[in-house]
Amino acid sequence: MKTWLLAIPLLAFGVPAGAAWTFVDGGEGYERYIDRETIDRSGHLVRVWEVDNNTVADASGVVSLRSRTEYDCQSRRYRIVHLSGHTRDMTEGDVVFSRAVNGEWRPVAPETLGEVSMEMACAE
């Protein structure tokens, strides 16, 4: 797992209590969902909450990861600005970690789950 630089509480990002998760796609032991109700657009930039559910917990006991992902729809790149790990599916259970992330912009690779997520978020 990547090392993240900056930590602040999840509450500062205003995650809705009853998220309406939409299935994006899955493969290789996990599934991804986005909360379309949280899509925030500013020009060609879009922010959305995403969840990756894993079939097996990692060494820290994390089963699901929730991320606030920012997509640059024009340049086809992304960065993660918040990440939290949870002990059960769909961000249920205990919070193992929760931190803001000063993620670097990375290209969205073609024909990947990331591209499907970006296209879904950018289409809203």
Side-chain angles (χ1 to χ4, degrees):
M1 177 172 273
K2 298 176 183 173
T3 302
W4 306 105
L5 303 175
L6 181 65
I8 62 174
L10 177 63
L11 296 175
F13 288 88
V15 177
W21 298 110
T22 300
F23 179 73
V24 174
D25 204 348
E28 299 186 28
Y30 68 95
E31 297 177 332
R32 178 166 296 160
Y33 299 82
I34 67 170
D35 184 356
R36 288 181 160 178
E37 295 178 5
T38 65
I39 292 175
D40 179 29
R41 179 179 292 277
S42 177
H44 57 85
L45 298 179
V46 174
R47 281 188 171 190
V48 62
W49 283 104
E50 298 179 319
V51 168
D52 286 346
N53 278 333
N54 298 299
T55 55
V56 178
D58 70 11
S60 301
V62 172
V63 173
S64 63
L65 291 168
R66 175 172 28 205
S67 62
R68 183 69 165 164
T69 306
E70 188 172 71
Y71 290 104
D72 181 334
C73 301
Q74 183 176 346
S75 298
R76 302 187 59 78
R77 59 188 185 150
Y78 77 98
R79 67 180 173 179
I80 296 174
V81 296
H82 190 272
L83 188 66
S84 61
H86 306 263
T87 58
R88 296 183 55 205
D89 284 347
M90 302 307 292
T91 69
E92 297 293 324
D94 295 331
V95 177
V96 177
F97 65 88
S98 178
R99 62 184 67 115
V101 177
N102 188 12
E104 293 183 27
W105 286 104
R106 299 178 186 274
V108 174
E111 299 181 24
T112 63
L113 182 57
E115 183 179 52
V116 176
S117 296
M118 180 191 69
E119 289 177 354
M120 190 177 281
C122 291
E124 291 292 318

